Amino acid sequence: MAFLSVSKRYHVNLKPKVYPRISIPLHFFTTTQDLNDAPPQQQEQVASTRRNPRGKTRTPEKIEDIICRMMENRAWTTRLQNSIRALVPEFDHSLVYNVLHGAKNSEHALQFFRWVERAGLIRHDREAHMKIIQILGRASKLNHARCILLDMPKKGVEWDEDFFVVLIDSYGKAGIVQEAVKFFQKMEELGVDRTIKSYDAFFKVILRRGRYMMAKRYFNKMLCEGIEPTRHTYNIMLWGFFLSLRLDTANRFYEDMKTRGISPDVVTYNTMINGYTRFKRMEEAENLFVEMKAKNLAPTVISYTTMIKGYVAVEQVDDGLRLFDEMKSFGIKPNATTYSTLLPGLCDAGKTNEAKTILKEMVERYVAPKDNSIFIKLLTSQCRSGDLNAAADVLKAMIRLSIPTEAGHYGVLIENFCKANEFDRAVKLLDKLVEKEIVLRPENSLEIEANAYNPMIQYLCHHGQTGKAEVFFRQLMKKGVLDPIAFNNLIRGHAKDGNPSLAFEILKIMGRRGVPKDADAYKLLIESYLRKGEPADAKTTLDSMIEDGHLPESDIFKSVMESLFEDGRIQTASRVMKSMVEKGVKEHMDLVFKIVEALLMRGHVEEALGRIELLMQNGGATNLDSLLSILSEKGKTIAALKLLDFGLERDCNIDVSSYEKVLDALLSAGKTLNAYSVLCKIMEKGGIGNWSSLEDLIKSLNQEGNTKQADILSRMVKGGGAASGSKKGKKQAAVAS
């Protein structure tokens, strides 16, 4: 129920005094400096008589309006006070009252009120005190209001009950109930007579805060003082008891009211009906509604709205619709609260057609609901029913009713357009969302959900519009959204569009913010780099993929290695091969062989041997015979020698022909000591029996002055002295090599 505010009920009407106008010709001031040098009174008058754009001279302002504008635009200083004094030769009560009434904020009013009195310009009367207390009460500056009220007798101004009623009401609105109680009690101490007026204000304050027991005690005290309650008093009491959910107490007071011969009015019935609807007792509420009409008390829009609210609460929406139609048939126009009450119930009951009709009526009447949350319910219910056109009309209705649209409203429509494969409509909505930066509005209470933006981003990324998707998602990121699905879709989209560098930037953002990355997104990015002929970047992405704990498919390893190999980046390809083998991938051994061969051919022997060692440790097979044969044929004798040493040290199964090829290559290259050394190792292992070029090696050793090695080798061949001379000979050979 609605109650008249205290300030409205006890407002004092004063006829403002009319002051003479002072007209100053504009041509009197020829320059801005002339105007600045003029006295303040003349400056204010000139400012108030400037011409409007049509060239007509404005009507001169009233003096009180000029003073209010001066206080609004200038700091409260001695200079401003002097300007006001120069403008007003003599203050009277009407002028002071009008200035207080027109002040833009309470601080200006309080400063003016105190200044004119302290400066001896006027002694405030009762009306000025009432006005400043009302102003300070509305602004919750209650200490100032209290001091001014209690100081009134010192100034010779008598107070009365109305002043205390205003302050009690102000304390109540500020939520300071205890002070309101103390002030009400203080009235008796100060000798201020309390009537039903102050009791009504007091009851309203304490009942608003649930102090129903205190209200009952003071109600009985009031009766003991001989103060009779009025209908308004009972209305307040009933309202408060229902607010505290004291149904039985409210019923007793209702019966007591009728016993005292006070007949209920529309406000009483509305209060009782509202109370019963709180308890979902619609049968009693309906009986009261019928009783009210039987007593020729015409139900108001509040009556009908309260009944509709009750029916919606108990899920009897059809009865609510019946009353809605009835009120319109009696010429009672639904208000914003009526619409806000009925529409959610229709949505919950699945009556979307009726909801659509009522929304159309609201738009035609340009009635905006009190609660904007009903629009998200309307959108959701229309989408759930499959009527996407009606859902789109809800958004249009919001715009026509000047209700701020939020990201969440667009999100519901975008999500359902995507589900219905109406992506063109979804994209149009997204364009508006991005263009107006609705996502970034700080006042948003409804954010767009992941099930709305993820399908949209995925669609854009799959249809060559990844740039648009990224602009949208970057707005979401500014709101703290770090959705891994959206991030990975952007990577896929940029990779598919042939923009791997943009995809890698997204990848780096994900890394900085700790967002998990999909293996599939990595794969697409690697493939995109390879298509653009950038295998080094593909390798960097592959490394990131492994660091994130993903196991790349063997084909990804193969593609990267092949691209690097073809680009001449053998060592980089070797590092990819190393990662592949360490991950237990044993495929593509032909490519592995090519990489190892290329390393040996380019002189990266240690790296190649390390890769072969890794392959052997992980169960991979390497054809050393083939490598030795190729190296020997192409004259890479040092690489062949080291590879052969590697094989001998690890007891690898090497064919005799491979030994002979390496020895022949060394002998042909004049590296006789190296040939001697490796031959000794081979013979120790029993790996060679009759090398055709053995005599040529002995001869070359003798010719080069290495007679001792030649002699040792001759005796080893003949089977004598091999054991005694082999170690020394091998040591010397190792030094010579």
Side-chain angles (χ1 to χ4, degrees), residues 356-387:
K356 180 168 60 175
T357 302
I358 291 175
L359 179 63
K360 184 179 178 181
E361 179 182 318
M362 288 173 61
V363 174
E364 289 173 352
R365 291 184 56 205
Y366 199 77
V367 177
K370 297 293 184 182
D371 184 7
N372 292 342
S373 66
I374 68 169
F375 288 102
I376 194 71
K377 183 164 280 192
L378 282 168
L379 282 165
T380 305
S381 62
Q382 295 292 3
C383 289
R384 193 183 297 118
S385 70
D387 193 347

Side-chain angles (χ1 to χ4, degrees), residues 282 286 289 301 303-328 334 338-339 341-343 345-346 349 351 354 358:
M282 289 308 299
E286 179 76 36
F289 189 69
V301 66
S303 311
Y304 278 103
T305 301
T306 305
M307 288 295 296
I308 291 170
K309 181 180 178 181
Y311 281 127
V312 169
V314 297
E315 299 181 357
Q316 297 178 17
V317 183
D318 290 334
D319 289 321
L321 274 174
R322 173 178 56 79
L323 286 182
F324 182 77
D325 293 334
E326 179 184 306
M327 69 184 291
K328 291 195 293 183
T338 312
Y339 291 122
T341 300
L342 182 58
L343 279 172
L346 294 173
K351 295 183 177 296
E354 290 84 350
I358 291 175

Side-chain angles (χ1 to χ4, degrees), residues 60-203:
E61 289 181 290
K62 297 177 182 178
I63 292 180
E64 54 264 32
D65 294 336
I66 296 173
I67 293 173
C68 291
R69 182 161 48 78
M70 290 168 68
M71 291 192 300
E72 181 182 5
N73 296 329
R74 294 165 61 179
W76 185 261
T77 60
T78 304
R79 184 175 181 182
L80 174 59
Q81 296 167 11
N82 292 336
S83 299
I84 296 174
R85 282 189 176 188
L87 184 64
V88 184
E90 182 182 356
F91 286 87
D92 65 16
H93 295 299
S94 295
L95 175 62
V96 171
Y97 182 90
N98 291 336
V99 171
L100 293 175
H101 181 73
K104 297 298 182 183
N105 65 57
S106 58
E107 191 64 32
H108 295 159
L110 180 61
Q111 288 168 337
F112 179 80
F113 178 86
R114 286 177 169 166
W115 169 67
V116 292
E117 189 171 49
R118 290 172 181 172
L121 300 175
I122 198 170
R123 291 185 66 182
H124 292 305
D125 59 1
R126 178 190 184 281
E127 285 70 28
H129 280 89
M130 175 63 79
K131 189 65 183 177
I132 192 63
I133 290 171
Q134 289 173 345
I135 292 171
L136 295 173
R138 286 194 298 268
S140 295
K141 294 183 177 179
L142 301 173
N143 285 337
H144 291 297
R146 181 191 184 103
C147 292
I148 290 172
L149 174 58
L150 296 178
D151 286 343
M152 285 175 60
K154 300 176 185 178
K155 304 174 186 177
V157 182
E158 292 186 4
W159 54 37
D160 55 36
E161 183 185 23
D162 291 346
F163 288 94
F164 288 85
V165 167
V166 171
L167 204 53
I168 289 169
D169 184 65
S170 299
Y171 274 120
K173 289 178 178 177
I176 312 174
V177 180
Q178 197 59 38
E179 287 299 317
V181 173
K182 289 179 181 178
F183 221 69
F184 179 75
Q185 294 169 342
K186 198 175 187 67
M187 292 176 66
E188 192 173 9
E189 298 174 15
L190 297 174
V192 179
D193 292 334
R194 294 187 301 206
T195 67
I196 194 62
K197 189 190 302 182
S198 55
Y199 268 104
D200 284 350
F202 178 66
F203 288 143

Side-chain angles (χ1 to χ4, degrees), residues 488 491-492 495-496 507 517-531 538 541-542 545 550-557 559-560:
N488 286 294
I491 293 173
R492 294 185 186 96
K496 187 177 179 181
L507 201 67
K517 312 167 192 80
D518 288 350
D520 182 56
Y522 273 116
K523 178 183 176 182
L524 291 174
L525 179 53
I526 291 169
E527 291 173 350
S528 180
Y529 272 125
L530 295 177
R531 283 195 299 271
T541 306
L542 181 64
M545 183 179 184
H550 296 295
L551 176 61
E553 299 173 2
S554 62
D555 289 340
I556 297 177
F557 282 116
S559 300
V560 175

Side-chain angles (χ1 to χ4, degrees), residues 606-622:
E606 298 302 326
E607 184 176 347
L609 295 178
R611 301 295 180 258
I612 295 171
E613 176 78 22
L614 182 64
L615 284 167
M616 293 171 64
Q617 291 173 356
N618 287 274
T622 304

